[in-house]
Amino acid sequence: MEQSSLLLFLRRMFRRKLVLVAFVVLCAIMLMALLAPWIAPHEPTTIRVVRRLKPPSELNWLGTDEFGRDILSRIVYGARASLGIGLAVVLVSMTVGTLFGLMAGYFRSLDGIIMRVVDALMALPDILLAIFLVAVLGASAFNVVLALSIVYTPRVIRVVRASTLVIRELPFVEAARALGVSTRRILSVHILLNVASPVLVQATFIFAYAVLAEAGLSFLGAGVPPELPTWGTMIASGQQYADQAFWVVLFPGLAIVLAALSLQVVGDGLRDMLDPKLRKAL
Amino acid sequence: MNMDTPSLLSIQDLEVRFRTEDGEVTPVRGVTLSVSPGETVALVGESGSGKSVTSLATMGLLPRPAGRVSGGKILFRQRSGQTVDLATLPLPDLRRLRGAEIAMVFQEPMTSLNPVLTVGEQIAESVRLHMGLGHASALKRAAEMLDLVEIPNARRRVHEYPHQMSGGMRQRVMIALAMSCNPSLLIADEPTTALDVTIQAQILVLIQRLQREIGMGVLFITHNLGVVAEIADRVTVMYAGQVVETGSVGELFRTPRHPYTSALLNCLPARARRGEDGRRVVQSIPGSIGKVGNGCAFAPRCGQATDSCQAGSVLLETEMDRSVRCLRWREILA
Amino acid sequence: MSASPLLVVEGLTKHFGRTPHLVRAVEDVGFHVAPGEVLGLVGESGSGKSTIGRLVLRLIDPTSGTIRFAGEDISKRPERQLKALRRNAQMVFQDPYASLNPRLRVRDIIGEALDAHRLAGGARRTERIGELLETVGLPATHMTRFPHEFSGGQRQRIGIARALAVEPKLIIADEPVSALDVSVQAQVLNLMQDLRQRFGLTMLFISHDLDVVELMCDRIAVLYLGRIMEIGSTDDVVSRPRHPYTRALLAASPKADPDAPKIRRMLTGDIPSPMAPPSGCVFRTRCPMATEECARSIPQLRSAGEDHQFACHYDMAHGERPAAA
Ligand SMILES: Nc1ncnc2c1ncn2[C@@H]1O[C@H](COP(=O)(O)OP(=O)(O)OP(=O)(O)O)[C@@H](O)[C@H]1O
Ligand SMILES: Nc1ncnc2c1ncn2[C@@H]1O[C@H](COP(=O)(O)OP(=O)(O)OP(=O)(O)O)[C@@H](O)[C@H]1O
Ligand code: SF4
Ligand code: SF4
Ligand SMILES: [Mg+2]
Ligand SMILES: [Mg+2]
């Protein structure tokens, strides 16, 4: 995209206030993750048993956890792992899922095999499958990403395949075939452009799920090693103190909600921008 | 409010506005038409000319709160002899009229039938509601209604679901539903457009037969001029939200007064003329309904337009039983 | 017909699905189209018109039968060897909304055709797209717009420009004006006639509107449940129909003339499901003169004069009235 049309694109996209706000929030969270060592007021791993489960105060803005560690600092550092894992899972599952979804939807001969694997994977509860995979692969951030990607890719395949099945029957695809347009172009232009919106929506969901699932894995002891703060591990380990010290789970929870929500709004904005019909109206 | 109108339905200078994201639009801005008992009036016009909006306004079915009647009257003579203005009638009264005295048939019978109820149950429900019959006798009446609209094996088919029926059969069910309470006015919005010609012929003949038997007035919306010639007694032509001409079907087809009406008739493939190169060509109307200025709405496409046509709004001129909205029709016809 | 036909179809059959739900969409259809000729395919919904069009373009594979285009049998060619067909035969679709990719600009929609066959590149490509738009009566400057910025008639013009981009010999027009208003329909019909003359196009013109077909076509084939009932010159079929179905179809089409006789004779009943077509003559369940013989054997096409054939056991014009009628 040329400079000017990119600017126009962004101007139109941010004409809606909510999208702009969400985008700013998202940027803030990412900046926070990048600049964690400079922003965090305390070391995220320093244990001070005397100050355990202290409510928000001058010293610890968001309170302390059961080991007296500063919650704000842990959230700031946790953004790195949580966002990183979430984004990595989204990236991997989107890419792989879109590819297989297109193939399953467009080539009837591949559909059977791909969908049989998808159905098998989806027959198991998400978290069970993830635990199993992490148990087999070993607990590390990389393996958590791998496991969650394997869990969520089938969902993307389903969505992409369903849309592809509809779109491939539309007259404009038939017209392209009649013109002798190559199958690669039909898939990568005609179909991909038109499945982009449901996929984007799916991406925002998967991001939110991945952050939560990572928390679930940590809670069950099958996640990222506990010395690494993630929003998920914070909630997981703080859960048993929630009734006496709500801030232990509330603030990391808010961070998850805020990140997922703003991502979703930005995703919606992006989807609308991809639709030429709506673009004009914005 | 007792106005003396011989008509069953008399719409006078109707204006409908919609609130949209781009501001207010006025898809109907000057519709005047009437339907007498036992008469079929065809409402014709291009897509987007406001035919459906007019019929929805009459039924009080405009999408709320976006749409509203912003001017004019929709006078309807009730069976009791009293005339009411449907545009201002309170909703409960309107609901009572709908189905009991005014019924409507839509283009797509699938979307207007409930997919999870058998067709018999749907007709019986309407009968129970309006005629206060019991369950068994309502079902029996439903079967009679299906028989009336010539559905074979009506007794058996009351137990079928809409999806088990063909398009033509579903449209018959819709008509049976509309007829179940002996309405005095039937509004049919493109009831045959989605059907095959041989099935369309069956439905047209059916509607005509029922009309004769019950003596109801029919407002038949269509854009098919062949259907108009087949079924209508009188025709009202709409362009860009306004009525531009009304007349008996014979006169309107033979001597159209409004340039749009004659242009529309000349667009018909059956009226194609042989050009000098031996090819048969149809006349067409250049351009499309675009933005409407303050003068005659048809002026940008009218071959007869002069400066005066664009000066100010053109009124609907009525003479005997014909009306026309054109400044120059006398000159043009002469 | 002196010139050898551009398109010859013989025994064309297409079945969809498997036995309990087998749909006999097209059954033993044969016809030929001479260069420069327009053959109309008429019939009610489900009669197999679109399927024939898609078969001829090899967008779907025939169950059996042959399709000879410009002398070569293309009915069994694999997709890879269809480049020449794709260049020489094109389609115009019914739905002006669904037949253009909503996410692409007009420039890319038409340009794609040029790219696929490497017909024009660089500045020449843009120039050619502009030419094509002007050919169909749209300003060249509209090429940067998206489909939704056009009206139905204008979109149909874009669809025609796309088909013309590869300079085809044959155009299959599948109900190209059915979705349009009469006034817009007239514009598009005139455009198609102009283009036909200008480029010497051969056409397969599919429609359910007899008036439109009569205007546009030299010859007409009448289809019912996937079979040809009658085929012949437009004049023969419309003015001297020999098949009971053709007669019924003509009688059921409302004439835009209040003085014309009203519809009186009418076909009763529904079109049978193509999953369970009647035995013998497929029309017999609705035919006013069907006999037992009609249930027993399938009537073959028989001649009713030069280039005029119909498929009925009885020839009313020659007093072959069935006893039952
Ligand atoms: N809910 C709505 N909100 C805004 N505008 C509307 C709404 N419904 C209809 N319109 C507008 O009103 C105009 C008239 O629409 P209407 O449906 O009455 O046309 P019509 O004559 O019935 O056309 P058709 O032959 O296509 O059915 C159109 O321009 C349409 O866009
Ligand atoms: N891909 C398909 N799979 C199964 N059945 C099909 C398929 N395509 C068409 N058919 C069936 O084949 C028959 C003929 O369809 P076709 O679309 O050719 O009819 P048509 O004459 O073009 O009708 P219309 O006027 O409705 O366009 C129909 O019964 C249809 O349901
Ligand atoms: S008023 Fe003028 S522009 Fe309008 S229809 Fe009459 S002659 Fe044409
Ligand atoms: S063969 Fe028999 S059923 Fe078929 S069209 Fe002729 S008379 Fe009718
Ligand atoms: Mg309408
Ligand atoms: Mg078709």
Side-chain angles (χ1 to χ4, degrees):
Chain A
M1 218 177 288
E2 314 130 43
Q3 187 69 29
S4 59
S5 60
L6 179 66
L7 274 178
L8 192 69
F9 182 88
L10 292 176
R11 246 217 338 266
R12 285 225 180 100
M13 175 152 159
F14 294 137
R15 195 159 300 164
R16 280 197 294 191
K17 289 286 170 317
L18 190 62
V19 178
L20 181 63
V21 170
F23 186 75
V24 169
V25 169
L26 211 59
C27 285
I29 295 175
M30 289 211 238
L31 224 62
M32 186 172 92
L34 280 175
L35 305 177
W38 292 277
I39 290 177
H42 301 272
E43 271 300 308
T45 45
T46 308
I47 296 172
R48 288 176 44 203
V49 185
V50 280
R51 288 199 54 79
R52 70 190 289 272
L53 298 176
K54 286 279 177 281
S57 66
E58 198 86 355
L59 185 60
N60 304 101
W61 289 1
L62 302 183
T64 63
D65 67 4
E66 70 274 22
F67 294 111
R69 296 176 295 199
D70 181 44
I71 289 188
L72 176 61
S73 304
R74 285 181 71 74
I75 287 180
V76 169
Y77 271 92
R80 295 186 145 185
S82 286
L83 289 189
I85 289 173
L87 288 181
V89 170
V90 166
L91 229 58
V92 174
S93 56
M94 283 300 129
T95 316
V96 179
T98 305
L99 199 72
F100 280 96
L102 284 177
M103 294 203 298
Y106 197 77
F107 302 107
R108 308 304 299 157
S109 52
L110 294 176
D111 191 29
I113 313 166
I114 295 178
M115 288 323 284
R116 203 157 308 158
V117 175
V118 165
D119 288 340
L121 286 174
M122 288 188 74
L124 299 167
D126 292 355
I127 202 76
L128 223 61
L129 180 61
I131 291 172
F132 172 77
L133 288 169
V134 175
V136 170
L137 297 166
S140 74
F142 178 82
N143 285 343
V144 168
V145 168
L146 191 63
L148 291 179
S149 297
I150 292 175
V151 170
Y152 293 121
T153 300
R155 295 178 182 229
V156 183
I157 295 181
R158 276 241 169 125
V159 169
V160 173
R161 173 182 174 268
S163 305
T164 306
L165 282 176
V166 174
I167 295 164
R168 69 188 288 257
E169 298 298 333
L170 292 180
F172 66 78
V173 172
E174 194 147 72
R177 286 182 56 213
L179 283 171
V181 172
S182 68
T183 306
R184 190 145 44 103
R185 187 175 151 88
I186 287 177
L187 280 172
S188 64
V189 174
H190 290 284
I191 296 187
L192 193 60
L193 276 182
N194 285 286
V195 298
S197 354
V199 168
L200 266 177
V201 175
Q202 192 72 8
T204 57
F205 278 122
I206 289 184
F207 175 79
Y209 286 143
V211 171
L212 292 172
E214 183 273 318
L217 287 179
S218 306
F219 180 68
L220 296 165
V224 180
E227 61 274 14
L228 208 70
T230 72
W231 295 341
T233 46
M234 289 174 74
I235 295 180
S237 57
Q239 208 164 38
Q240 46 186 313
Y241 309 100
D243 50 346
Q244 5 166 348
F246 65 87
W247 53 90
V248 176
V249 291
L250 176 69
F251 293 116
L254 276 180
I256 292 179
V257 170
L258 203 63
L261 217 59
S262 50
L263 194 76
Q264 203 155 328
V265 173
V266 171
D268 276 353
L270 210 61
R271 181 194 58 190
D272 292 350
M273 284 309 296
L274 283 176
D275 189 338
K277 242 176 295 191
L278 293 170
R279 188 184 309 168
K280 261 279 164 61
L282 294 175
Chain B
M1 197 171 38
N2 205 346
M3 273 151 274
D4 241 2
T5 42
S7 327
L8 182 61
L9 176 73
S10 166
I11 300 180
Q12 294 169 5
D13 228 359
L14 180 70
E15 187 183 87
V16 178
R17 286 174 194 250
F18 277 106
R19 241 179 302 129
T20 69
E21 281 169 19
D22 311 327
E24 228 176 18
V25 292
T26 319
V28 167
R29 40 191 210 101
V31 168
T32 299
L33 64 84
S34 66
V35 184
S36 299
E39 183 188 43
T40 301
V41 175
L43 186 57
V44 289
E46 282 173 66
S47 178
S49 56
K51 306 183 295 292
S52 296
V53 170
T54 301
S55 68
L56 291 176
T58 307
M59 290 294 286
L61 291 173
L62 286 174
R64 273 159 221 266
R68 68 191 167 92
V69 174
S70 53
K73 293 196 178 84
I74 308 172
L75 302 179
F76 176 71
R77 200 177 65 221
Q78 289 176 284
R79 225 167 257 148
S80 62
Q82 201 194 10
T83 299
V84 290
D85 183 358
L86 299 177
T88 56
L89 200 66
L91 203 59
D93 295 338
L94 198 59
R95 272 212 198 97
R96 209 162 338 103
L97 279 183
R98 245 188 253 154
E101 297 198 29
I102 312 175
M104 187 152 179
V105 178
F106 296 91
Q107 172 174 348
E108 207 349 280
M110 198 58 199
T111 51
S112 4
L113 287 172
N114 188 338
V116 300
L117 292 181
T118 65
V119 296
E121 281 164 353
Q122 296 186 51
I123 298 173
E125 186 183 283
S126 159
V127 170
R128 267 207 304 280
L129 210 69
H130 293 288
M131 295 185 143
L133 293 181
H135 183 80
S137 43
L139 257 184
K140 197 162 148 265
R141 171 100 177 124
E144 283 166 22
M145 292 309 302
L146 291 186
D147 205 38
L148 180 75
V149 296
E150 294 157 15
I151 290 184
N153 301 322
R155 286 231 145 334
R156 196 164 45 79
R157 298 197 87 147
V158 283
H159 303 298
E160 283 188 4
Y161 291 89
H163 70 89
Q164 292 173 293
M165 302 187 134
S166 69
M169 285 298 156
R170 285 199 289 263
Q171 198 55 284
R172 284 171 193 272
V173 171
M174 275 305 293
I175 293 172
L177 201 55
M179 290 295 145
S180 57
C181 313
N182 290 323
S184 48
L185 175 67
L186 176 71
I187 300 178
D189 191 351
E190 315 232 11
T192 61
T193 305
L195 304 176
D196 279 313
V197 268
T198 57
I199 311 297
Q200 165 173 284
Q202 295 171 0
I203 299 289
L204 291 180
V205 170
L206 172 69
I207 290 179
Q208 282 176 305
R209 200 201 87 209
L210 293 172
Q211 170 180 42
R212 265 199 313 276
E213 286 171 10
I214 302 176
M216 63 183 174
V218 177
L219 182 62
F220 196 104
I221 297 173
T222 179
H223 59 251
N224 184 332
L225 292 165
V227 170
V228 173
E230 189 66 41
I231 198 170
D233 301 311
R234 286 193 308 123
V235 188
T236 294
V237 184
M238 279 185 78
Y239 185 82
Q242 292 179 320
V243 164
V244 294
E245 182 164 5
T246 296
S248 77
V249 67
E251 285 178 22
L252 193 122
F253 273 73
R254 268 190 299 273
T255 54
R257 289 182 176 173
H258 197 280
Y260 175 65
T261 313
S262 46
L264 198 61
L265 288 167
N266 284 330
C267 286
L268 291 170
R271 294 205 180 185
R273 299 227 184 80
R274 226 170 257 289
E276 63 270 21
D277 56 354
R279 272 192 314 145
R280 293 175 66 205
V281 281
V282 272
Q283 275 186 31
S284 60
I285 310 177
S288 55
I289 303 186
K291 266 221 298 290
V292 182
N294 37 1
C296 168
F298 189 54
R301 305 170 76 188
C302 180
Q304 317 285 342
T306 60
D307 288 346
S308 60
C309 298
Q310 294 172 27
S313 62
V314 184
L315 297 178
L316 193 66
E317 211 180 294
T318 306
E319 179 184 274
M320 307 288 286
D321 62 340
R322 288 196 77 174
S323 39
V324 56
R325 193 189 293 270
C326 171
L327 294 175
R328 308 190 52 227
W329 73 267
R330 273 176 240 271
E331 291 169 58
I332 295 166
L333 223 60
Chain C
M1 216 110 325
S2 50
S4 67
L6 181 67
L7 177 68
V8 181
V9 168
E10 275 164 5
L12 191 61
T13 299
K14 176 68 187 179
H15 295 170
F16 289 106
R18 296 234 168 77
T19 347
H21 303 289
L22 186 79
V23 177
R24 296 169 187 277
V26 175
E27 196 75 52
D28 194 18
V29 162
F31 57 81
H32 57 86
V33 194
E37 186 180 64
V38 179
L39 173 70
L41 294 182
V42 272
E44 295 176 278
S45 116
S47 58
K49 307 181 295 292
S50 301
T51 305
I52 293 176
R54 296 165 73 212
L55 285 167
V56 168
L57 284 182
R58 282 298 317 280
L59 293 169
I60 48 178
D61 299 329
T63 305
S64 63
T66 58
I67 305 161
R68 240 189 293 282
F69 182 78
E72 292 184 51
D73 185 358
I74 52 146
S75 54
K76 286 169 202 74
R77 284 219 180 141
E79 177 79 33
R80 273 170 286 110
Q81 293 170 30
L82 289 174
K83 210 70 179 175
L85 178 71
R86 302 269 175 263
R87 171 88 209 260
N88 286 311
Q90 277 303 313
M91 187 137 170
V92 175
F93 296 83
Q94 166 171 8
D95 187 343
Y97 293 86
S99 59
L100 304 177
N101 188 338
R103 306 273 164 143
L104 294 184
R105 291 174 197 278
V106 170
R107 183 180 49 205
D108 300 317
I109 290 172
I110 298 177
E112 188 172 65
L114 300 173
D115 301 342
H117 299 273
R118 304 211 167 78
L119 295 177
R124 176 73 195 120
R125 183 174 181 268
T126 310
E127 196 185 321
R128 179 84 183 109
I129 294 168
E131 276 170 27
L132 284 162
L133 284 176
E134 278 163 7
T135 306
V136 296
L138 291 173
T141 50
H142 282 9
M143 71 173 75
T144 54
R145 296 194 180 181
F146 285 99
H148 70 91
E149 297 174 68
F150 295 91
S151 69
Q154 288 177 319
R155 283 163 187 241
Q156 205 54 296
R157 288 169 191 266
I158 296 169
I160 294 172
R162 170 177 61 189
L164 289 176
V166 296
E167 298 164 41
K169 298 195 180 88
L170 174 73
I171 285 198
I172 293 172
D174 189 357
E175 314 234 17
V177 295
S178 302
L180 306 176
D181 269 315
V182 245
S183 68
V184 184
Q185 168 178 309
Q187 294 173 4
V188 174
L189 289 177
N190 286 341
L191 170 68
M192 294 189 78
Q193 286 197 322
D194 284 344
L195 297 175
R196 176 191 174 192
Q197 202 159 50
R198 219 167 118 193
F199 300 114
L201 292 172
T202 307
M203 276 199 249
L204 206 55
F205 193 97
I206 298 172
S207 179
H208 60 259
D209 186 332
L210 274 167
D211 285 340
V212 170
V213 169
E214 191 185 341
L215 174 74
M216 297 295 289
C217 305
D218 304 312
R219 293 166 63 236
I220 296 180
V222 180
L223 291 156
Y224 186 80
L225 279 180
R227 287 179 181 271
I228 290 186
M229 298 287 109
E230 183 158 5
I231 182 167
S233 72
T234 300
D235 190 41
D236 278 339
V237 171
V238 173
S239 314
R240 291 172 289 279
R242 297 291 270 278
H243 196 282
Y245 178 62
T246 315
R247 292 176 184 220
L249 208 56
L250 285 163
S253 310
K255 315 283 172 293
D257 176 2
D259 303 323
K262 300 274 182 256
I263 296 171
R264 247 174 288 111
R265 272 184 314 129
M266 228 187 359
L267 286 184
T268 52
D270 258 335
I271 305 170
S273 154
M275 274 191 233
S279 66
C281 174
V282 281
F283 184 53
R284 73 176 163 82
T285 51
R286 300 172 81 200
C287 181
M289 36 182 259
T291 64
E292 275 163 33
E293 172 62 15
C294 303
R296 263 197 304 274
S297 66
I298 299 175
Q300 297 302 310
L301 277 175
R302 56 197 270 187
S303 176
E306 194 194 344
D307 189 35
H308 183 189
Q309 294 165 295
F310 66 104
C312 173
H313 289 311
Y314 306 103
D315 185 352
M316 289 179 287
H318 289 94
E320 292 178 22
R321 281 173 193 282

